[in-house]
């Protein structure tokens, strides 16, 4: 597989780490090891929510196959693994008793990562909220920050001393807006009050975990935020204004809170009336210093004004760029622009890691081989964008491909394949794709 000649390790900073990412519910197999039910189990059990009504009960069975998966990561010349810890596996009721078997799994996983000379990068919450907490209102409940803080300390007690980095929350926009306003993810609400509250509480939970882990002396703490490259669908002033509103909600809300302790005006105009009383008092804890920022980037999104809809009166528009199996428009320059925007407008020289970037494709194994040349190009082009940002002064310290394996792609079940390793979901056999071999080769070269 030909790679562009300058894409070698040597073209990246000396300590730059290359890894791959997954998340607990998407790969582990939630039916194993005494995990409690979570809101994704019930979301998936509700007709119409998930393609083919699939859930995470078996997933990739990484719960039993983590050694094999870490061997593949190592053999691919990678440096690091990003995984997440399942709240409902560790605390089946969300609060109170710990499922020791579940907690021990993460102990074994971290050891397996370290034994292979890889770095473990943990995300404490990647979406599998225990049903018992969901019953109480989940992310809309004012106490969830405390509950999450308790969970974070339990994780820290067990594995905190061995982690290269810790992210509190994965993609707070997805946890809140996508799940409580747009209804696309669990708990599947379409309610602006729930959306606004969860958008605040998820940040409050981040702040609470940072406070608690910092008090324990940790100095590797961050958060993982997702960004899209938002653009107006036309030059019409109302489309430009619509794109500005969407940019405020989807891209600025979370980073502005974390980096500056404020919410963007263009988002507050619709959401402030629904925020919990006294929200301003939480902004100091939300914006306390972090040690690094995680960035997830996948696509460009065109936005138009929708006069038939209430605030924010936006509608997505399909543009002319090539798309992935998700229908997402591919724009590597969007990643460059994002990294420079973060440096210039928000975090300056704070270390940034691209904690997710990758693409889904309708991959097939033929004669033992998966030819995913589209993915190879996507990866090369995005790595090129990262290189350009580094050359222009971005303090980018790592890149994690999403994902190590084909896995449970949430509302799209197992149909959408993001892995650099193919998984046969009948046999659970792993087959490295051409993209894995490309990265293996590229990472071997200095
Ligand atoms: C991100 C999620 C991750 C995966 C990718 C494709 O939004 O963090 O779990 O689903 O998208």
């Amino acid at each position: 597989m030909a790679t562009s000649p300058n894409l070698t390790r040597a073209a990246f900073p000396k300590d730059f780490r290359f890894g791959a990412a997954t998340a607990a519910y998407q790969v582990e197999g939630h039916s194993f090891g005494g995990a409690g039910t979570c809101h994704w189990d019930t979301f998936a059990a509700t007709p119409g929510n998930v393609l083919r009504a699939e859930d995470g009960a078996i997933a990739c069975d990484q719960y039993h196959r983590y050694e094999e998966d870490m061997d593949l990561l190592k053999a691919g010349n990678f440096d690091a693994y990003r995984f997440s810890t399942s709240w409902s596996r560790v605390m089946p009721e969300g609060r109170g008793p710990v499922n020791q078997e579940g907690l021990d799994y993460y102990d074994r996983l971290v050891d397996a990562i370290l034994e292979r000379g890889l770095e473990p990068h943990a995300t404490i919450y990647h979406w599998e909220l225990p049903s018992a907490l969901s019953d109480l209102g989940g992310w809309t409940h004012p106490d969830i920050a405390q509950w999450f803080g308790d969970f974070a300390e339990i994780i820290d007690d067990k594995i905190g001393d061995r982690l290269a980095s810790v992210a509190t929350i994965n993609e707070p926009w997805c946890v809140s807006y996508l799940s409580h306003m747009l209804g696309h993810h669990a708990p599947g609400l379409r309610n602006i009050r729930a959306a606004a509250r969860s958008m605040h509480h998820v940040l409050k939970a981040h702040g609470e975990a940072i406070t608690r882990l910092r008090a324990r002396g940790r100095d590797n703490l961050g958060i993982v935020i997702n960004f899209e490259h938002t653009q107006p669908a036309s030059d019409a002033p109302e489309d430009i204004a619509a794109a500005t509103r969407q940019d405020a909600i989807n891209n600025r809300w979370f980073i502005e809170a974390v980096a500056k302790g404020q919410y963007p005006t263009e988002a507050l105009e619709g959401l402030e009336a629904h925020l919990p009383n006294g929200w301003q008092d939480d902004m100091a804890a939300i914006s306390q210093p972090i040690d690094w920022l995680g960035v997830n980037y996948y696509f460009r999104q065109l936005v138009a004004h929708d006069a038939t809809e209430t605030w924010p009166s936006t509608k997505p528009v399909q543009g002319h760029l090539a798309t992935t199996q998700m229908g997402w428009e591919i724009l590597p320059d969007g990643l460059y622009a994002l990294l420079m925007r973060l440096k210039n407008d928000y975090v300056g020289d704070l270390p940034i890691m691209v904690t997710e970037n990758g693409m889904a494709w309708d991959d097939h194994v033929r004669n033992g081989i998966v030819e995913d040349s589209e993915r190879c190009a996507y990866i090369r082009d995005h790595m090129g964008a990262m290189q350009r940002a580094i050359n222009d002064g971005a303090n980018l310290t790592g890149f994690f491909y999403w994902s190590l394996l084909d896995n449970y792609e949430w509302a799209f079940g197992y149909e959408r394949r993001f892995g650099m390793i193919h998984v046969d979901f009948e046999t659970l056999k792993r087959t490295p794709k051409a993209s894995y071999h490309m990265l293996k080769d590229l990472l071997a070269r200095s």
Side-chain angles (χ1 to χ4, degrees), residues 395-409:
N395 188 14
L396 188 64
T397 62
F399 159 46
F400 293 78
Y401 179 72
W402 182 275
S403 176
L404 175 67
L405 305 164
D406 293 341
N407 60 45
Y408 181 66
E409 182 42 40

Side-chain angles (χ1 to χ4, degrees), residues 26 126-127 170-171 174 296 298 328 356 402 409-410 418:
Q26 295 179 274
H126 198 131
W127 306 357
N170 179 71
E171 300 193 348
C174 293
N296 293 355
Y298 288 93
W328 293 348
E356 287 182 29
W402 182 275
E409 182 42 40
W410 308 113
F418 275 90

Side-chain angles (χ1 to χ4, degrees), residues 244-354:
T244 302
R245 284 195 298 283
Q246 176 146 325
D247 184 51
I249 299 166
N250 292 28
N251 298 321
R252 290 171 52 203
W253 181 272
F254 300 97
I255 187 62
E256 215 147 300
V258 169
K260 301 184 176 175
Q262 66 193 38
Y263 290 136
T265 323
E266 295 87 345
L268 278 178
E269 71 189 12
L271 295 172
E272 185 165 14
H274 307 289
L275 285 172
N277 288 336
W279 60 269
Q280 294 89 342
D281 301 340
D282 300 325
M283 299 312 281
I286 288 171
S287 59
Q288 64 188 292
I290 51 176
D291 304 307
W292 62 279
L293 175 70
V295 168
N296 293 355
Y297 171 82
Y298 288 93
F299 57 84
R300 184 275 287 268
Q301 182 63 61
L302 291 183
V303 183
H305 180 66
D306 185 352
T308 67
E309 266 303 347
T310 184
W311 189 94
S313 312
T314 53
K315 64 176 173 208
V317 172
Q318 195 68 37
H320 61 274
L321 301 178
T323 56
T324 71
Q325 190 193 17
M326 300 292 281
W328 293 348
E329 285 192 281
I330 302 172
L331 186 65
D333 280 349
L335 178 56
Y336 170 83
L338 170 62
L339 293 170
M340 298 317 292
R341 182 186 194 185
L342 290 170
K343 174 185 168 62
N344 295 328
D345 296 353
Y346 294 105
V347 298
D349 291 333
L350 185 77
I352 294 180
M353 293 195 281
V354 171

Side-chain angles (χ1 to χ4, degrees), residues 12 152 157 216 415:
F12 286 83
D157 279 342
R216 293 162 162 242
E415 198 206 63

